[in-house]
C-alpha cells in the first residue's frame, strides 16, 4: 500500500522568510499527490495537488509544490511566509490504481514568528 | 452551498455505549469517506463509499459500521464504544473521476470514557 512520510514534526520560520515543508511518498504505480492545511479545531482545507503535467504546482494562498519523481518527493513551498500560515500541514498520496485509498502523512506543524 | 457537514461537533460516551455520526454533502459527489485523526498519526481511512449503494473497508474498520443512506448522506456507527475510539472523526466527499479532490467536513471530536 502507498505511504507518506513527513520527516519534520515541526517547522519554524520567521515572517517574510521562505518556507519548505517536506514530504516523501511510496507508491507502487504513479501517484496523485495532495497538500492540505488544518487550522485549530477545523477540518482539512485543500491547498494543491499534482495529477499530471508540469512538476511545479501552484495552489492557494501563494503555496506551491514540486513533484520530483526520482526523489519521490512533493515538498510544499512558499517564497515569503506569513504569521497566518501557522497551521498543521498534511501531505497525502493516492495510487492511480486505487482512487479511493488516500494515505496521509502524520502532519507538520508550521509556526511562523513575527 | 454548505459543502460537507457533520453532526454532532462534540460527543462524550461511556465505554459500551453506541452512537452514530452523521455526514451530509450538498456537492452532488459520488464518493464519501470516514477518517479518524489521532495525534502524530495523520488521518486514517475507516470506511468509504465509492458510490451510492456501496461501502468498503479502509485501513482501520474494526469497531465501526457505515451506512450510505442516499447520495448525500453517509453515517458512521460505533456499536460499543471503546476508549481506543477516542479521536476526531472527519467525513469527506469527492466527485468520481481520477485525481479529483476530497473535501472535508469540520469534524466530530469524540471522547470515550
Amino acid at each position: 500500500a502507498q505511504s507518506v512520510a513527513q520527516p519534520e514534526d515541526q517547522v519554524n520560520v520567521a515572517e517574510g522568510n521562505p518556507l519548505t515543508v517536506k514530504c516523501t511518498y511510496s507508491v507502487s504505480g504513479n501517484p496523485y499527490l495532495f497538500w492540505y492545511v488544518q487550522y485549530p479545531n477545523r477540518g482539512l482545507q485543500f491547498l494543491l495537488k499534482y495529477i499530471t503535467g508540469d512538476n511545479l504546482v501552484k495552489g492557494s494562498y501563494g503555496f506551491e509544490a514540486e513533484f520530483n519523481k526520482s526523489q519521490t518527493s512533493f515538498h510544499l513551498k512558499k517564497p515569503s511566509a506569513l504569521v497566518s500560515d501557522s497551521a498543521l500541514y498534511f501531505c497525502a498520496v493516492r495510487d492511480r490504481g486505487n482512487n479511493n485509498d488516500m494515505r496521509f502523512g502524520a502532519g507538520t506543524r508550521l509556526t511562523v514568528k513575527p | 452551498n454548505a459543502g460537507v457537514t457533520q453532526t454532532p461537533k462534540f460527543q462524550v460516551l461511556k465505554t459500551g455505549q453506541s452512537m452514530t455520526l452523521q455526514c451530509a454533502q450538498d456537492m452532488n459527489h459520488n464518493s464519501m469517506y470516514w477518517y479518524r485523526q489521532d495525534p502524530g498519526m495523520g488521518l486514517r481511512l475507516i470506511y468509504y463509499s465509492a458510490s451510492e449503494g456501496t461501502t468498503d473497508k479502509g485501513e482501520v474498520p474494526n469497531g465501526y459500521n457505515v451506512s450510505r443512506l442516499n447520495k448525500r448522506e453517509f453515517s458512521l456507527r460505533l456499536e460499543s464504544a471503546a476508549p481506543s475510539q477516542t479521536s476526531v472523526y472527519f467525513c469527506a466527499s469527492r466527485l468520481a473521476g481520477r485525481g479529483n479532490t476530497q473535501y472535508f467536513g469540520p469534524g466530530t471530536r469524540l471522547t470515550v470514557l
Side-chain angles (χ1 to χ4, degrees), chain A:
Chain A
Q2 58 269 32
S3 64
V4 174
Q6 292 181 242
E8 301 156 317
D9 293 336
Q10 174 92 30
V11 170
N12 298 313
V13 298
E15 188 174 30
N17 283 0
L19 70 88
T20 299
V21 183
K22 295 180 181 177
C23 171
T24 59
Y25 66 90
S26 173
V27 68
S28 58
N30 291 314
Y32 297 132
L33 292 156
F34 301 81
W35 276 103
Y36 287 86
V37 60
Q38 184 180 33
Y39 297 100
N41 301 312
R42 304 287 295 273
L44 276 70
Q45 295 179 27
F46 169 70
L47 275 180
L48 53 79
K49 66 182 177 183
Y50 171 79
I51 303 300
T52 188
D54 195 347
N55 289 343
L56 183 64
V57 178
K58 293 187 184 296
S60 307
Y61 313 121
F63 284 94
E64 59 187 30
E66 185 163 12
F67 170 61
N68 187 319
K69 188 172 183 178
S70 63
Q71 296 186 4
T72 61
S73 67
F74 189 57
H75 301 330
L76 182 70
K77 299 184 179 185
K78 187 173 182 181
S80 178
L82 300 172
V83 173
S84 57
D85 292 330
S86 299
L88 189 56
Y89 290 80
F90 290 98
C91 182
V93 65
R94 207 159 77 209
D95 190 322
R96 292 177 188 235
N98 184 346
N99 223 6
N100 289 296
D101 188 2
M102 189 150 79
R103 298 298 172 105
F104 286 80
T108 298
R109 185 163 299 283
L110 172 68
T111 301
V112 181
K113 299 186 178 179

Side-chain angles (χ1 to χ4, degrees), chain B residues 4-26:
Chain B
V4 181
T5 57
Q6 293 182 235
T7 55
K9 291 190 186 328
F10 302 94
Q11 184 72 47
V12 179
L13 293 178
K14 295 181 179 178
T15 297
Q17 287 185 317
S18 62
M19 79 161 295
T20 299
L21 282 65
Q22 306 287 354
C23 173
Q25 52 89 13
D26 62 1

